[in-house]
Amino acid sequence: VKDSGKNDCLLYSESWDNSSLERLTLQHELKRAIQRDEFVLHYQPQYHLGTGEIVGVEALIRWQHPERGLVPPGLFIPQAEESGIIMQIGDWVLEEACRQNKAWQEAGLRHIPVSVNLSIRQFLQQNLTEKVSDILNRTGLKAEYLDLEITETMTMDVKHASRCLLELTKLGINISIDDFGTGYSSFHYLKTLPIGRLKIDRSFVRDIQQDPGDAAIVAAIIAMAHNLNLQVIAEGVENEVQMQFLQKHLCDEMQGYLWSPPVTGGKISALLQ
Ligand code: C2E
Ligand code: CA
Ligand code: CA
Ligand code: CA
């Protein structure tokens, strides 16, 4: 299993394969993991490219598995989505991220938004806005400190997306488009939906130095975002050359191993001090 090197994720030799038995086992274990409270969130700082200040964090789930150690989301989120367990996991993630952000604020730390990844199933549920609104009420976090990351695929049903996103943004929540540039979608939604930020997929950032095509795409996304009055963040920034390119093209924010991998909530407290 290939894992992000600088993470504190443990490497483990076994993983779930695709046989139906293994899938059933995983499904069963995921249900149990919710009951046993085995999920944790790590947070990756998002930095302003002009000032170097932390301007947000992205919540990223990990599974503290009793035998396998810290399991990265790529190994269980797809199956959780397929089986529908993502709904319960997603509820937990939303509430935990809001609770943690409120706790940082109560500890007197600088107020920043937390970004939460939404899966397509969560996005399509009827009562998403009520759910999010309830969670904000319960945790006491103001909506402006919650950012929801959706993917381009979720905007393909423009009617649903516009109703859903309008409700969410009315609450005061910001919407970011994750993995921008990799999805199958038209640009139409960019001017019609209430989106606040584009997140340039790390596949384009990765080869900025070697591939003039990727460099051109990144520069074009930044320019387009700004012309549409959207913020733009680059993900997967791993080296100085990539960062300098982004700075030169006036990208607003960056996230990546160059400045910090995802870390525990405790480490974020220290960084925000
Ligand atoms: P994503 O939303 O695109 O998250 C970014 C991924 O890139 C994270 O992997 C992060 O650790 C990794 N990353 C950050 N900086 C760098 C870098 O400089 N270089 C490289 N190579 N990678 C970097 P992670 O945490 O393993 O998450 C993988 C995916 O799992 C996420 O991709 C997201 O799609 C999904 N995911 C994570 N947490 C959640 C969640 O709470 N709910 C849902 N629905 N999906 C989640
Ligand atoms: Ca994301
Ligand atoms: Ca992404
Ligand atoms: Ca991704």
Side-chain angles (χ1 to χ4, degrees), residues 69-142:
L70 207 54
V71 182
L75 290 183
F76 62 91
I77 288 288
Q79 170 75 11
E81 273 173 357
E82 205 180 299
S83 64
I85 303 171
I86 192 68
M87 300 300 272
Q88 285 109 289
I89 297 177
D91 287 351
W92 178 84
V93 171
L94 265 171
E95 178 133 12
E96 175 62 15
C98 291
R99 189 203 57 73
Q100 172 66 85
N101 199 12
K102 180 67 180 178
W104 286 326
Q105 297 185 350
E106 305 239 282
L109 302 174
R110 208 155 43 75
H111 291 24
I112 53 162
V114 64
S115 296
V116 172
N117 292 286
L118 277 194
S119 84
I120 180 97
R121 284 210 194 219
Q122 285 176 284
F123 189 65
L124 292 178
Q125 70 189 308
Q126 286 308 313
N127 59 346
L128 177 65
T129 313
E130 288 99 288
K131 212 172 234 177
V132 171
S133 170
D134 284 350
I135 288 173
L136 290 172
N137 285 331
R138 264 206 302 283
T139 57
L141 186 73
K142 283 198 187 138

Side-chain angles (χ1 to χ4, degrees), residues 15-23 79 82:
S15 96
W16 294 272
D17 65 35
N18 259 333
S19 75
S20 50
L21 181 62
E22 289 281 275
R23 283 149 62 111
Q79 170 75 11
E82 205 180 299

Side-chain angles (χ1 to χ4, degrees), residues 77-245:
I77 288 288
Q79 170 75 11
E81 273 173 357
E82 205 180 299
S83 64
I85 303 171
I86 192 68
M87 300 300 272
Q88 285 109 289
I89 297 177
D91 287 351
W92 178 84
V93 171
L94 265 171
E95 178 133 12
E96 175 62 15
C98 291
R99 189 203 57 73
Q100 172 66 85
N101 199 12
K102 180 67 180 178
W104 286 326
Q105 297 185 350
E106 305 239 282
L109 302 174
R110 208 155 43 75
H111 291 24
I112 53 162
V114 64
S115 296
V116 172
N117 292 286
L118 277 194
S119 84
I120 180 97
R121 284 210 194 219
Q122 285 176 284
F123 189 65
L124 292 178
Q125 70 189 308
Q126 286 308 313
N127 59 346
L128 177 65
T129 313
E130 288 99 288
K131 212 172 234 177
V132 171
S133 170
D134 284 350
I135 288 173
L136 290 172
N137 285 331
R138 264 206 302 283
T139 57
L141 186 73
K142 283 198 187 138
E144 63 188 288
Y145 297 112
L146 177 62
D147 172 277
L148 294 177
E149 296 193 0
I150 65 168
T151 57
E152 285 166 282
T153 328
M154 303 187 202
T155 66
M156 275 166 63
D157 180 351
V158 176
K159 238 175 138 183
H160 172 81
S162 73
R163 189 180 55 77
C164 187
L165 294 182
L166 271 174
E167 285 177 14
L168 289 167
T169 51
K170 258 192 209 148
L171 291 178
I173 290 163
N174 186 65
I175 304 296
S176 297
I177 303 291
D178 202 1
D179 304 339
F180 185 75
T182 61
Y184 176 81
S185 70
S186 78
F187 287 120
H188 173 67
Y189 76 92
L190 281 181
K191 59 168 196 185
T192 48
L193 298 178
I195 288 154
R197 182 171 71 164
L198 300 185
K199 198 163 190 183
I200 305 174
D201 189 69
R202 72 166 181 270
S203 60
F204 300 116
V205 175
R206 189 183 52 221
D207 298 328
I208 276 178
Q209 308 161 65
Q210 305 88 323
D211 188 336
D214 284 337
I217 287 169
V218 170
I221 293 174
I222 297 168
M224 179 185 67
H226 287 159
N227 284 328
L228 290 167
N229 278 319
L230 303 174
Q231 293 285 107
V232 58
I233 179 168
E235 68 175 5
V237 181
E238 295 184 354
N239 62 51
E240 294 282 340
V241 179
Q242 293 164 344
M243 186 189 73
Q244 279 155 15
F245 181 92

